[in-house]
Amino acid sequence: GVAAVIGAVIWWQVTPLAAYTRTSDNATMDEAQLAKQFGTDGWFLVVGSAAGLISGLVLVLLRRRNPILMVLLVTVGGAFATAVMLQLGLLLGPSDPSSVLAHTPVGDKVPLQLKPDAHGVWFAWSISALFGAILALWISEAREDSSRRHPALPGYGPGEQVFLNRP
């Protein structure tokens, strides 16, 4: 929950929003504003992917009792975080342009809402959390393997006596 709120605030702060320009009978958007429309989706993808990867990695490294359950939980948690991030984006960002344009003077700009148009980016948090969880499992497995391969030298454990042959 907290990571999703932080992610939404970051997304809100870094995303340049495209804006309509009010005309006498309608509203238009020039090429530069059309290009900004992709920024909303792109920044949502970047923030969601980074947060998902970090949350999946950290949570599975901290909670290793039941790794399969943790992988499932971070994936479902990613879906919840995405929903929180989407809703906060709507709350933090500007209102729906269609409700504002009727009262906007000619020549003024009205920004779009902070919401992604590409619905595929909604899966970024869950997928990257899954990758983070898998990475955490791989790291913890590598640690366990290395400790099994390099045991303490025989004869140097607690309670054992070591005899040195001196000439």
Side-chain angles (χ1 to χ4, degrees):
V2 174
V5 172
I6 292 169
V9 171
I10 291 171
W11 179 45
W12 170 54
Q13 290 296 312
V14 299
T15 304
L17 294 175
Y20 287 109
T21 303
R22 178 78 163 113
T23 62
S24 59
D25 61 341
N26 206 351
T28 62
M29 192 178 288
D30 62 12
E31 287 181 27
Q33 298 302 313
L34 288 171
K36 283 184 182 179
Q37 278 185 302
F38 294 106
T40 305
D41 296 336
W43 280 111
F44 188 89
L45 180 69
V46 168
V47 172
S49 295
L53 184 68
I54 292 167
S55 65
L57 182 67
V58 169
L59 289 172
V60 172
L61 281 175
L62 292 177
R63 303 277 184 189
R64 287 186 269 165
R65 276 191 224 146
N66 191 341
I68 302 299
L69 178 63
M70 281 309 298
V71 168
L72 292 173
L73 288 175
V74 297
T75 305
V76 172
F80 171 73
T82 297
V84 169
M85 199 165 144
L86 288 169
Q87 290 304 311
L88 277 176
L90 290 172
L91 289 172
L92 294 171
S95 301
D96 184 14
S98 60
S99 65
V100 179
L101 277 171
H103 311 293
T104 303
V106 174
D108 282 358
K109 294 191 178 285
V110 176
L112 293 178
Q113 282 185 297
L114 185 60
K115 66 178 184 179
D117 291 323
H119 299 294
V121 299
W122 292 4
F123 301 102
W125 195 305
S126 292
I127 291 171
S128 60
L130 181 61
F131 282 128
I134 291 169
L135 181 62
L137 292 173
W138 179 70
I139 289 169
S140 61
E141 184 68 25
R143 282 185 193 161
E144 289 174 14
D145 281 350
S146 68
S147 67
R148 277 187 244 139
R149 274 192 240 136
H150 304 292
L153 292 174
Y156 288 99
E160 295 186 23
Q161 293 181 350
V162 176
F163 298 99
L164 297 175
N165 294 333
R166 294 184 185 201

